[in-house]
């Protein structure tokens, strides 16, 4: 049976100053490590503000190679503190090919690999299809020093297929680095239901697959309403769900927080033995799921 | 845009007397119809007690043809009240081939078709693999007079794949006829988490697919603990979730109830426009989901 391991979720605010964000992130990684965290995950695109609120070709300049300058800096702290880091970055792969990518650094600072966001949204103030080429690395796992992990980035979190495939490769925990928030004109009417749906769909991945789900969301308001940029209120609420979907740790919606949670692979196996969903999957009958829509039925 | 339609969920207790159960079911169908329900769903195997608590070859005698005697009786009330009926039955298909099947009768009493439970559980007191041959009809839809519907029976409800495929065929609502309950020795420690996981996974299907989810569970205690049959306390809690997963109607855990809920296909389309998950599915990358386990990653 695999060993227990401890994860750390850093929920933080970001400014337009990327150096400052990175310095603060490193500070918080140290804090999480001091609290016992062995695998630490940042929220989506923690290096800056959530820039997809507008479509501006200049902003491609924010992208960098992965591995590259940021992972090199982070590798130092990973090695120093012997922590695995799961860090979401804007990847410049080639001129004109940019990805929303998550790098995984092992506890010796080595670059273990990356996941490129597979499902790319496009909604008002979340104009991601302008920036991000859809991922082409599938749904990989990463065997880190402390546990086997998977990653699903933000919009991916709404797709049971992605989490299922990630879990079927043996991930003991799936991390969901996220930047999701409320539109100010919607919050009063729809905000509670949106947050609830978001929490529910991710808890459901834990339940369906018997894995830990670790969701790390951005917090804080970004935008300048007085200058015509209505902005987004990122709703935090980072959480960890156990392999039966129960929330075992939960952050607030309006402040920075660090969650440190011990995960026990035995809990996952126990859940899967008592509610053995994986045993009974009808893999002979799932082919229609590969269709966009089933018009002919 | 499709018309609104009204569904009725009959949450009832059952005894070992199948004639009595059927008579009471018909009474409740009349009551639901009088309340405005146009599509009425019974819980799983409503014709009798949940007999899978033991493995007894004599109990195969409970099975019947579908269509057959019970659907013929129910067709009369369907026609009389102009209601669609979604009724779960123990199907005798051939000597040695029995299914857990749901028949769909249209509002003129005609037999529209059937769904055979695809995922068959086997757990203490739920010895279904002894009785039920896994379904071989895939995940069909049924175009009824009032709406296009899909069915997933009990254990199916834990599989995102089944609900996804059902929704991709255009179902406006997915019915989940169910017989799930607490083991008396587990209830105090695990009961709340079990109920919560059950509700969460089904709400997640509504969210992931932007469809109504209508869950009809058995209620009442069945068993004779004093005679060594520990029994099951079926937990009721039938509910309807809207296409964003919000629960719009909910029954108690300990009594018979009828839920009548109006469903609006416009709500489904509105949800899918604002949170357009179906648009961004990576059908080019989901093939690994057809595997039992991904050993080689």
């Amino acid at each position: 049976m695999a060993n227990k391991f401890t994860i750390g979720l850093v929920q933080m605010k970001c400014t337009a100053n990327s150096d400052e964000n990175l310095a603060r992130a490193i500070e918080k990684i140290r804090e999480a490590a001091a609290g016992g965290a062995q695998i630490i995950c940042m929220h989506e695109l923690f290096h800056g503000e959530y820039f997809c609120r507008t479509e501006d070709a200049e902003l491609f300049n924010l992208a960098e190679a992965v591995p590259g300058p940021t992972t090199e800096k982070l590798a130092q702290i990973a090695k120093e503190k012997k922590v695995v880091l799961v860090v979401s970055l804007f990847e410049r792969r080639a001129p004109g090919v940019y990805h929303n990518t998550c790098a995984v650094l092992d506890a010796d600072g080595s670059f273990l690999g990356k996941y490129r966001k597979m499902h790319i949204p496009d909604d008002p103030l979340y104009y991601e299809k302008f920036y991000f080429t859809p991922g082409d690395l599938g749904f990989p796992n990463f065997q880190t020093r402390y546990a086997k992990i998977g990653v699903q980035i933000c919009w991916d979190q709404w797709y049971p297929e992605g989490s299922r495939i990630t879990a079927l490769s043996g991930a003991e925990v799936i991390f969901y680095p996220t930047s999701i928030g409320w539109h100010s004109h919607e919050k009063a009417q729809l905000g509670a239901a949106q947050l609830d749906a978001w929490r529910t769909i991710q808890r459901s991945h834990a339940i369906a697959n018997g894995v830990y789900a670790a969701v790390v969301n951005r917090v804080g308001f970004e935008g300048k309403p007085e200058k015509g940029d209505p902005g987004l209120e990122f709703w935090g609420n980072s959480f960890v769900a156990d392999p039966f979907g129960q929330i075992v740790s939960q952050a607030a919606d309006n402040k920075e927080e660090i969650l440190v949670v011990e995960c026990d692979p035995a809990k996952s196996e126990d859940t899967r033995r008592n509610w053995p969903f994986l045993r009974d999957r009808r893999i002979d009958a799932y082919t229609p799921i590969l269709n966009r829509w089933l018009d002919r039925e």
Side-chain angles (χ1 to χ4, degrees), chain A:
Chain A
M1 187 74 74
N3 292 327
K4 294 178 184 178
F5 57 94
T6 301
I7 59 176
L9 283 60
V10 176
Q11 172 173 303
M12 65 176 256
K13 297 179 185 182
C14 288
T15 68
N17 183 333
S18 65
D19 289 343
E20 181 185 273
N21 294 325
L22 185 58
R24 293 184 62 241
I26 288 174
E27 197 177 293
K28 287 173 183 293
I29 288 167
R30 287 184 188 280
E31 192 180 333
Q38 297 168 308
I39 307 174
I40 299 170
C41 183
M42 305 298 301
H43 71 256
E44 184 188 27
L45 301 168
F46 75 99
H47 210 305
E49 287 196 337
Y50 179 73
F51 57 86
C52 313
R53 299 197 317 273
T54 180
E55 297 196 359
D56 179 353
E58 284 297 312
L59 295 177
F60 284 107
N61 288 327
L62 296 171
E64 60 176 309
V66 178
T70 301
T71 58
E72 278 162 29
K73 286 176 198 153
L74 289 166
Q76 294 170 24
I77 182 78
K79 185 176 180 181
E80 178 196 330
K81 291 296 168 187
K82 300 186 179 59
V83 290
V84 174
L85 294 180
V86 182
V87 284
S88 163
L89 297 162
F90 185 19
E91 180 187 10
R92 181 180 187 278
R93 184 180 186 181
V97 183
Y98 307 85
H99 295 283
N100 187 326
T101 295
C102 203
V104 180
L105 308 176
D106 210 353
D108 61 359
S110 63
F111 184 83
L112 254 187
K114 58 188 165 187
Y115 166 74
R116 290 183 177 131
K117 188 172 183 172
M118 291 288 283
H119 303 91
I120 309 296
D122 199 281
D123 304 299
L125 301 190
Y126 298 88
Y127 302 109
E128 294 198 18
K129 287 194 193 296
F130 179 75
Y131 294 102
F132 306 128
T133 303
D136 59 347
L137 298 174
F139 301 94
N141 272 206
F142 304 93
Q143 181 62 63
T144 74
R145 181 182 295 183
Y146 304 113
K148 198 168 187 183
I149 70 169
V151 181
Q152 289 282 274
I153 304 172
C154 205
W155 196 238
D156 291 325
Q157 66 206 183
W158 299 96
Y159 296 83
E161 294 93 341
S163 290
R164 174 72 95 200
I165 296 170
T166 303
L168 289 179
S169 291
E172 294 162 298
V173 55
I174 304 177
F175 288 97
Y176 298 86
T178 301
S179 290
I180 192 171
W182 289 299
H183 291 278
S184 57
H185 68 281
E186 284 183 354
K187 186 182 176 187
Q189 192 197 342
L190 303 171
Q194 291 171 346
L195 173 59
D196 182 52
W198 175 80
R199 191 185 283 127
T200 300
I201 194 76
Q202 292 175 99
R203 291 180 58 215
S204 83
H205 304 324
I207 296 166
N209 298 294
V211 293
Y212 285 91
V215 182
V216 193
N217 191 26
R218 182 184 293 257
V219 72
F221 183 85
E222 297 179 14
K224 296 186 179 61
E226 69 284 0
K227 291 186 183 168
D229 172 4
L232 289 167
E233 181 186 348
F234 294 96
W235 68 46
N237 272 288
S238 301
F239 69 90
V240 177
D242 75 13
F244 203 46
Q246 297 290 295
I247 292 181
V248 292
S249 186
Q250 161 88 50
D253 67 1
N254 60 357
K255 62 175 185 184
E256 298 193 333
E257 247 177 283
I258 295 174
L259 304 181
V260 176
V261 175
E262 186 186 69
C263 300
D264 185 357
K267 170 110 184 162
S268 185
E269 184 151 1
D270 183 65
T271 302
R272 290 179 183 177
R273 288 180 181 186
N274 283 285
W275 296 71
F277 307 137
L278 295 182
R279 181 191 62 194
D280 299 327
R281 294 178 65 239
R282 291 296 305 272
I283 55 174
D284 59 311
Y286 293 158
T287 305
I289 212 167
L290 304 179
N291 288 277
R292 184 66 69 202
W293 187 252
L294 294 162
D295 300 286
R296 280 175 297 277
E297 281 197 17

